């Protein structure tokens, strides 16, 4: 009898543990959904959620969370539905459950809960959760000012501090800059993962603060334009390519020389100009003012935010066309007229004196004169479209140019990927050449259909080969794409090294300096798409090919030509 009682008790304990794990009730309550029913209800709930039919979705989500409490996404979507239906107290509880199971990011959920408490006019709880959001890494604090949920709190000093608003608008210019520099250091320490991650390759918090303290006594002697360049220098200390600021701000108007430079393997060259200076297209830059070009590149390097040395190749030619940069880096004087020593086709050197023009956000800093022509080489034929393809029958190949990780108008990445698969299925295609040399990133979560298609191409039939063409501009979300291709396929990489690291610190997160109102970006994410021990500074090409000015202006693509020779030799 004792043994039987113990056995029965043991079964009850096991049943209780199992039911607790599954979120079920042993006694009373609604019977849980079985697996098939749970799956069906979940699909129905999410369809209603996508259709914004929140009232109808709520009881379905309540069934799901009652049957199985451990899916944070269900709690998150239930909370959104409850918020839409103004069931604020219930939504708070659901968001807390979502946080418990890791759905969404803690700072985002904390801010949502703070907003709900504000709606309930429970200010102390709202402030408590806003403080939690700050501790968890809430960025873009300026958005709090525009959130109607906090309308009743906007005039309170405590809220204005959280929203990064200046409490005293009547401060001197020097004091405004000093306060904003202190704010920048505090935000970098709070938000930037490099301050707390082994991936950080930049200055630590103490070094950053020391650099700012050295700058403060010089504020009175520097113009706002010069201070903007110093801001670039401070942000570059963080050691990644996303922590940066623009050269264009409505508060500080800079100018630039009316030409585009590019750093080839053999020289820095003029690749585009305003119409009145077109005679200089193709000319090699020997000196800027009295500074030799290589020395000029070295002089601007400390203000360039970058993930690796490829970033210098991208940004130095751009910075060298901005007189405020030239003056601050000791390359040229204060005037907006800059003398360049130029040389073309082995002829004697000539001096061109150029007048700077207004720098606007629409200024194209990388466009080439070759891109005006219809018969330019394949890699320059259409750099504005996010993705396109061309069949190369002589090579039994398809050339795909992937220029931006974003949806193109009229054809999604999913649709393009299906078209690509249909094309290589219908044709006798044994090689797929994917060109990401112009791809500076976008949304990492959008490229998966194309990645799956590349994997299918390579694995579907024996003998197929995948090639990936990379360059200094291959960056950010496209670096993640390349890292996935490197990890999941046997692709042959060709061209230049990528512009970022397989594991990198990134994300363009807006931070508005309260007093000058300048917008800067501080990276807030660690992207680890490779194995944790991967410390490579880039993905190096299997077929390294450097672009020379002679190749470029002759309309040749040495990278694609090298790949075609590899294909022919196989």
């Amino acid at each position: 009898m004792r043994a039987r009682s113990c056995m029965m008790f043991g079964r009850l304990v096991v049943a209780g543990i199992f039911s607790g794990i599954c979120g079920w009730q042993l006694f009373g309550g609604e019977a849980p959904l079985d697996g098939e029913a749970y799956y069906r209800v979940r699909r129905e709930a999410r369809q209603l959620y996508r259709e914004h039919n929140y009232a109808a979705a709520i009881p379905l989500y309540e069934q799901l969370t009652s049957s199985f409490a451990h899916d944070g996404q269900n709690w998150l979507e239930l909370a959104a539905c409850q918020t839409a239906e103004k069931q604020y107290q219930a939504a708070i509880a659901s968001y807390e459950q979502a946080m418990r199971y890791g759905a969404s990011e803690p700072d985002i959920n904390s801010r949502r809960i703070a907003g709900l408490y504000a709606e309930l006019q429970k200010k102390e709880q709202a402030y408590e959760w806003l403080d939690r959001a700050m501790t968890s890494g809430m960025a873009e604090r300026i958005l709090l000012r525009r959130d109607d949920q906090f309308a009743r709190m906007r005039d309170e000093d405590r809220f204005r501090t959280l929203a990064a608003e200046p409490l005293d608008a009547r401060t001197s210019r020097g004091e405004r800059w000093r306060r904003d520099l202190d704010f920048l250091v505090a935000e970098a320490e709070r938000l930037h993962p490099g301050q707390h991650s082994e991936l950080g390759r930049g200055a630590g918090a103490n070094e950053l603060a020391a650099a700012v303290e050295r700058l403060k006594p010089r504020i009175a002697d520097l113009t706002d334009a010069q201070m903007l360049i110093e801001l670039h220098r401070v942000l570059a200390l963080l050691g990644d390519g996303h922590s940066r600021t623009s050269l264009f701000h409505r508060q500080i108007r800079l100018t630039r020389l009316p030409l585009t430079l590019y750093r080839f393997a053999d020289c820095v060259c003029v690749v585009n100009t305003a119409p009145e200076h077109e005679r200089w297209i193709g000319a090699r830059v020997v000196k800027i003012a009295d500074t030799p070009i290589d020395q000029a590149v070295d002089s601007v390097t400390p203000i360039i935010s970058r993930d690796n040395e490829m970033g210098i190749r991208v940004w130095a030619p751009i910075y060298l066309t901005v007189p405020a940069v030239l003056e601050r880096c000791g390359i040229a004087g204060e005037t907006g007229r800059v003398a360049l020593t130029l040389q073309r086709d082995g002829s004697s050197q000539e001096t061109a004196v150029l007048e700077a023009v207004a720098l606007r956000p629409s200024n194209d800093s990388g466009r080439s004169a070759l891109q005006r022509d219809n018969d330019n080489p394949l890699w320059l034929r259409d750099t504005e479209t996010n993705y396109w393809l061309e069949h190369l029958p002589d090579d039994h190949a398809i050339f795909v140019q992937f220029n931006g990780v974003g949806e193109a108008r009229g054809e999604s990445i999913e649709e393009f990927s299906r078209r690509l698969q249909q094309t290589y299925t219908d044709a006798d295609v044994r090689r797929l050449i994917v060109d990401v040399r112009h791809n500076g990133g976008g949304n990492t979560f959008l490229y998966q259909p194309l990645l799956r298609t590349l994997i299918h191409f390579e694995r579907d039939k024996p003998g197929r080969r995948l090639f990936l063409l990379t360059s200094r501009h291959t960056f950010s979300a496209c670096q993640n794409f390349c890292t996935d291709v490197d990890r999941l396929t046997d692709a042959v990489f060709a061209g230049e090294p990528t512009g970022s690291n397989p594991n990198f610190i990134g994300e363009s997160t807006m931070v508005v300096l309260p007093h000058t109102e300048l917008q800067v970006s501080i990276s807030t994410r660690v992207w680890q798409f490779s194995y944790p021990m991967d410390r490579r500074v880039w993905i190096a090409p299997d077929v390294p090919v450097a672009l020379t000015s002679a190749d470029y202006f002759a309309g040749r693509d040495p990278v694609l030509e090298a790949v075609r020779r590899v294909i022919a030799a196989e």
Side-chain angles (χ1 to χ4, degrees):
M1 186 68 180
R2 181 187 296 270
R4 185 174 180 182
S5 298
C6 289
M7 184 180 299
M8 182 63 70
F9 178 75
R11 287 174 179 172
L12 286 171
V13 169
V14 171
I17 293 171
F18 180 75
S19 65
I21 291 172
C22 296
W24 299 345
Q25 299 294 324
L26 266 178
F27 304 103
E30 198 172 302
L33 299 168
D34 63 27
E36 184 275 331
Y38 179 92
Y39 176 74
R40 176 178 49 78
V41 171
R42 189 183 193 192
R43 291 187 64 183
E44 185 179 353
R46 291 189 170 173
Q47 182 60 36
L48 291 169
Y49 178 80
R50 286 190 291 269
E51 293 171 354
H52 308 295
N53 190 349
Y54 302 121
I58 286 174
L60 300 184
Y61 279 114
E62 288 174 340
Q63 275 189 281
L64 295 170
T65 55
S66 175
S67 289
F68 183 73
H70 306 300
D71 187 337
Q73 190 63 31
N74 286 339
W75 287 109
L76 191 67
E77 291 167 13
L78 172 58
C81 293
Q82 291 165 330
T83 300
E85 293 299 307
K86 299 186 178 181
Q87 300 175 15
Y88 299 141
Q89 198 67 54
I92 288 170
S94 296
Y95 275 127
E96 289 181 331
Q97 287 291 86
M99 292 178 71
R100 178 182 179 186
Y101 298 113
S104 191
E105 298 178 65
D107 63 300
I108 295 174
N109 282 339
S110 295
R111 179 180 158 180
R112 287 167 174 159
I113 292 172
L116 294 172
Y117 273 120
E119 292 280 11
L120 294 168
Q121 299 186 44
K122 297 181 177 181
K123 287 199 301 185
E124 282 308 308
Q125 291 94 326
Y127 278 124
E128 177 188 342
W129 280 94
L130 281 175
D131 288 339
R132 291 192 192 187
M134 286 282 292
T135 303
S136 302
M138 181 181 72
E140 300 185 351
R141 293 160 61 176
I142 189 175
L143 299 181
L144 290 177
R145 308 178 196 175
R146 307 169 190 167
D147 192 332
D148 290 339
Q149 288 185 309
F150 301 106
R152 296 183 185 90
M153 302 161 61
R154 282 179 184 152
D155 295 331
E156 299 176 9
D157 284 354
R158 183 175 177 183
F159 182 81
R160 294 179 67 196
T161 298
L162 287 166
E165 286 195 77
L167 299 182
D168 183 0
R170 296 172 297 175
T171 54
S172 66
R173 170 187 175 273
E175 185 61 21
R176 288 198 302 273
W177 273 111
R178 282 188 286 274
R179 290 187 183 186
D180 276 356
L181 289 171
D182 288 338
F183 179 82
L184 176 62
V185 171
E187 288 294 89
E189 184 173 3
R190 186 175 70 87
L191 297 172
H192 194 272
Q195 304 298 307
H196 317 285
S197 166
E198 64 176 14
L199 281 180
R201 296 182 172 92
N206 291 339
E207 297 171 82
L208 195 68
V212 163
E213 290 304 315
R214 290 193 296 270
L215 175 59
K216 285 180 181 178
R218 300 162 49 208
I219 292 173
D221 300 324
L222 300 175
T223 66
D224 283 348
Q226 291 169 333
M227 283 298 297
L228 178 58
I229 307 308
E230 292 301 322
L231 195 57
H232 280 257
R233 194 186 305 272
V234 170
L235 287 163
L237 292 173
L238 290 173
D240 73 271
H242 287 82
S243 295
R244 58 180 307 106
T245 188
S246 172
L247 287 167
F248 173 85
H249 293 271
R250 62 178 175 78
Q251 301 91 341
I252 302 174
R253 302 287 184 169
L254 299 186
T255 59
R256 65 169 296 185
L257 302 180
L259 81 172
T260 301
L261 305 179
Y262 190 88
R263 187 176 183 181
F264 294 98
D266 52 333
C267 63
V268 174
C269 233
V270 179
V271 297
N272 203 2
T273 67
E276 63 269 26
H277 300 298
E278 282 187 348
R279 66 180 292 257
W280 297 115
I281 293 175
R284 181 169 64 93
V285 181
V286 179
K287 289 192 294 186
I288 298 178
D290 294 324
T291 306
I293 188 62
D294 288 342
Q295 184 180 330
V297 170
D298 291 341
S299 297
V300 300
T301 293
I303 69 170
I304 296 176
S305 296
R306 59 195 186 274
D307 286 351
N308 58 39
E309 296 306 301
M310 290 291 107
I312 299 172
R313 293 183 174 272
V314 171
W315 288 103
I318 296 171
Y319 283 125
L320 289 173
T321 66
V322 180
V325 172
L326 301 177
E327 187 275 330
R328 193 74 208 109
C329 295
I331 298 169
E334 296 181 18
T335 177
R337 290 169 58 85
V338 179
L340 276 69
T341 303
L342 303 170
Q343 185 177 34
R344 54 180 310 135
D345 302 329
S347 61
S348 59
Q349 297 178 2
E350 299 180 64
T351 299
V353 179
L354 302 180
E355 188 83 34
V357 297
L359 177 63
R360 300 183 299 276
S362 58
N363 282 160
D364 190 336
S365 58
R367 191 167 178 80
S368 157
L370 292 183
Q371 290 170 264
R372 303 174 189 166
D373 303 328
N374 293 324
D375 58 348
N376 34 353
L378 200 58
W379 76 295
L380 293 176
R381 191 165 297 171
D382 183 4
T383 61
E384 303 300 319
T385 302
N386 277 1
Y387 33 81
W388 53 272
L389 63 85
E390 182 163 323
H391 186 202
L392 306 177
D394 292 344
D395 299 299
H396 301 286
I398 293 175
F399 178 88
V400 174
Q401 193 161 79
F402 185 27
N403 293 321
V405 189
E407 303 284 17
R409 183 175 298 176
E411 185 179 38
S412 68
I413 293 180
E414 179 77 52
E415 292 165 338
F416 173 76
S417 301
R418 286 200 297 267
R419 179 161 66 91
L420 172 60
Q421 182 171 342
Q422 191 63 53
T423 303
Y424 69 65
T425 300
D426 292 344
D428 181 19
V429 173
R430 298 194 293 272
R431 307 289 183 266
L432 193 55
I433 303 168
V434 181
D435 184 358
V436 294
R437 285 176 286 178
H438 305 290
N439 196 325
N443 186 340
T444 286
F445 303 105
L446 293 179
Y447 66 67
Q448 282 78 6
L450 181 57
L451 177 65
R452 289 193 295 266
T453 299
L454 301 189
I455 295 170
H456 174 267
F457 171 81
E458 187 181 65
R459 301 302 181 198
D460 187 45
K461 290 184 180 179
R464 284 178 171 174
R465 294 296 301 277
L466 177 62
F467 295 85
L468 199 66
L469 314 187
T470 60
S471 81
R472 64 191 72 177
H473 295 283
T474 306
F475 183 69
S476 194
C478 191
Q479 175 65 58
N480 287 335
F481 172 76
C482 292
T483 304
D484 270 341
V485 171
D486 183 47
R487 184 170 54 90
L488 299 172
T489 77
D490 294 322
V492 176
F493 282 66
E496 292 182 314
T498 57
S500 190
N501 331 112
N503 295 326
F504 67 92
I505 289 171
E507 197 72 11
S508 297
T509 301
M510 181 182 68
V511 172
V512 178
L513 304 184
H515 295 83
T516 59
E517 297 184 342
L518 295 174
Q519 291 188 11
V520 303
S521 172
I522 296 178
S523 294
T524 55
R525 297 287 180 270
V526 175
W527 296 95
Q528 185 173 300
F529 275 47
S530 185
Y531 51 89
M533 301 79 69
D534 190 347
R535 301 289 291 179
R536 286 179 294 174
V537 297
W538 49 44
I539 296 179
D542 305 293
V543 184
V545 183
L547 180 67
T548 67
S549 57
D551 284 330
Y552 182 78
F553 288 106
R556 294 189 294 267
D557 181 355
V559 181
L560 184 56
E561 290 174 6
V563 167
R564 282 175 152 162
R565 288 193 296 272
V566 169
I567 290 173
E570 289 182 337

